[in-house]
Amino acid sequence: MPVELTYEPHVVPPRTGPRSLSALQEEVLALKREKNAVILAHNYQVEAIQEVADFVGDSLGLSYQAQAAQADVILFCGVHFMAETAKIVNPGRTVLLPDLNAGCSLADSCPAPRLAAYKAANPRLYVVAYINCSAEVKALSDVICTSGNAVQIVNRVPADREILFVPDQNLGQWVSQRTGRPMQLWPGSCYAHVQFTVQALEKVRLRFPGAPVVAHPECVQTVRDLADEVCSTELMVKFAREHSAREIIVATESGMLHRLRREVPDKTFIAAPTDSCACNDCRFMKMNTIEKVRDALRSGAPQIEVPEATRHAALIPIQRMLDWSRR
Ligand code: 13P
Ligand code: SF4
């Protein structure tokens, strides 16, 4: 029996020419110069923000950029844990986040007091924390990882230590399978990535036969198993550049398609659908708008602050990650 898509797929065709900036974007660029600011943006930000950013990338690339930033102000266009990480690695800068409510369901799924209690009951555990967690959780962890370096990081954990992976059970399961390292998994997940299903992907594949699927490791195992490649958002750019296919199905947040179109302008990208929608937005990432970026630069707020004792303790596992995975 033929399977029908109940909505039109979200297709981003090859880019035909350069886009001119809006008056608001020009205002942001002028303010950026006036305030001596650098704009760091995650791959999931809206296109208008990506276009004015000095750097657009994944959590790992953004962490390195934040640590190296010399500007007085880091305007971080992403979610709270990312801006907090920037403040931890570069405390001398003013770090702004356009919308302080831009959180993360994964970070919320692991409250620090619960992790502290679990560690107290299981003192031998080596805690590997996905960067999508609060500064307080980082401060309780042995090493941090991102989706871009998780395999590399877990491979460096001393062989005689049992690992507790927090807070994403899907990424943790994927890393465990890739490394062969058994680990305890904290029961957290990304509310957006778990909405991708095999059923929805198979429907869109009928429309684009032959198009490979690239999926983020925060997706559930059945989706990861179906994918041709599972990787971080930064590595999706590499995959798109190197694969011979002209059309690629992308199972991650829809902002990624802007970055892909800019970096690989001659290919067509299709957003992987969910069971109810043609694409998948993270409601937290999309809280930042170009208007809020302008307002943050104008007013110097909202600022990210991290208590010094927490910052100091959280820097240790972050620095360990940066040292273990230097590109
Ligand atoms: P990346 O580091 O792969 O960009 O992932 C960040 C994230 O929040 C994915 O949901
Ligand atoms: Fe967090 Fe998921 Fe949004 Fe990434 S996409 S910031 S993991 S809620």
Side-chain angles (χ1 to χ4, degrees):
M1 190 154 113
V3 200
E4 284 297 323
L5 267 182
T6 49
Y7 41 76
E8 276 308 298
H10 177 70
V11 178
V12 175
R15 172 150 278 169
T16 47
R19 265 165 54 99
S20 54
L21 295 183
S22 69
L24 192 50
Q25 287 174 303
E26 295 289 2
E27 191 182 350
V28 166
L29 292 179
L31 279 164
K32 184 171 77 96
R33 283 190 293 273
E34 183 191 320
K35 308 284 182 179
N36 187 23
V38 64
I39 301 182
L40 305 183
H42 188 264
N43 288 321
Y44 296 164
Q45 293 295 283
V46 294
E47 189 167 28
I49 294 179
Q50 293 198 22
E51 285 173 337
V52 295
D54 296 282
F55 177 84
V56 183
D58 68 351
S59 308
L60 183 59
L62 287 163
S63 303
Y64 281 119
Q65 290 290 326
Q67 191 170 47
Q70 301 284 330
D72 296 329
V73 176
I74 299 173
L75 177 64
F76 205 107
C77 300
V79 291
H80 192 275
F81 75 81
M82 295 179 174
E84 200 174 50
T85 303
K87 187 69 183 177
I88 293 167
V89 297
N90 201 343
R93 316 290 151 193
T94 297
V95 177
L96 304 175
L97 179 65
D99 190 323
L100 266 192
N101 292 318
C104 169
S105 68
L106 262 174
D108 291 347
S109 68
C110 187
R114 269 183 49 208
L115 177 59
Y118 195 76
K119 275 187 65 176
N122 301 274
R124 282 281 305 148
L125 288 174
Y126 191 100
V127 181
V128 179
Y130 186 29
I131 198 165
N132 297 38
C133 63
S134 67
E136 291 76 16
V137 166
K138 289 183 175 78
L140 291 167
S141 302
D142 293 291
V143 69
I144 307 302
C145 72
T146 74
S147 58
N149 64 13
V151 168
Q152 210 180 341
I153 296 296
V154 166
N155 277 331
R156 298 273 307 249
V157 174
D160 60 338
R161 298 292 299 275
E162 186 183 359
I163 295 175
L164 168 65
F165 192 94
V166 304
D168 188 10
Q169 58 188 310
N170 292 303
L171 176 70
Q173 184 190 44
W174 176 73
V175 180
S176 179
Q177 289 161 350
R178 290 254 165 137
T179 58
R181 194 82 193 251
M183 47 179 83
Q184 292 188 31
L185 304 176
W186 192 268
S189 57
C190 163
Y191 90 94
H193 282 86
V194 297
Q195 290 182 49
F196 292 117
T197 64
V198 168
Q199 191 193 8
L201 273 157
E202 278 176 348
K203 287 180 190 171
V204 83
R205 268 175 145 186
L206 288 179
R207 288 274 188 102
F208 298 92
V213 175
V214 60
H216 198 274
E218 288 172 15
C219 295
V220 297
Q221 173 155 18
T222 48
V223 168
R224 298 195 312 267
D225 285 349
L226 165 157
D228 297 85
E229 179 67 299
V230 177
C231 60
S232 73
T233 58
E234 195 59 37
L235 292 174
M236 287 181 184
V237 177
K238 185 170 182 282
F239 175 83
R241 266 201 206 106
E242 292 175 359
H243 203 286
S244 57
R246 310 309 304 161
E247 295 173 334
I248 297 172
I249 300 169
V250 184
T252 194
E253 211 270 354
S254 67
M256 188 63 212
L257 275 72
H258 304 307
R259 172 84 199 283
L260 285 166
R261 179 152 75 154
R262 205 146 57 119
E263 301 272 351
V264 194
D266 57 329
K267 295 195 178 174
T268 296
F269 297 100
I270 303 109
T274 67
D275 286 335
S276 57
C277 188
C279 60
N280 201 350
D281 280 348
C282 167
R283 65 172 177 270
F284 304 110
M285 285 282 180
K286 293 309 195 267
M287 284 181 181
N288 296 325
T289 61
I290 190 74
E291 286 82 5
K292 289 181 193 170
V293 167
R294 188 257 329 264
D295 295 347
L297 280 173
R298 260 191 195 159
S299 64
Q303 282 190 30
I304 299 290
E305 298 295 350
V306 183
E308 186 52 23
T310 308
R311 191 195 74 76
H312 191 260
L315 181 60
I316 296 167
I318 297 175
Q319 193 57 51
R320 189 166 289 139
M321 168 188 82
L322 295 175
D323 293 344
W324 283 5
S325 67
R326 203 155 280 287
R327 286 168 167 175

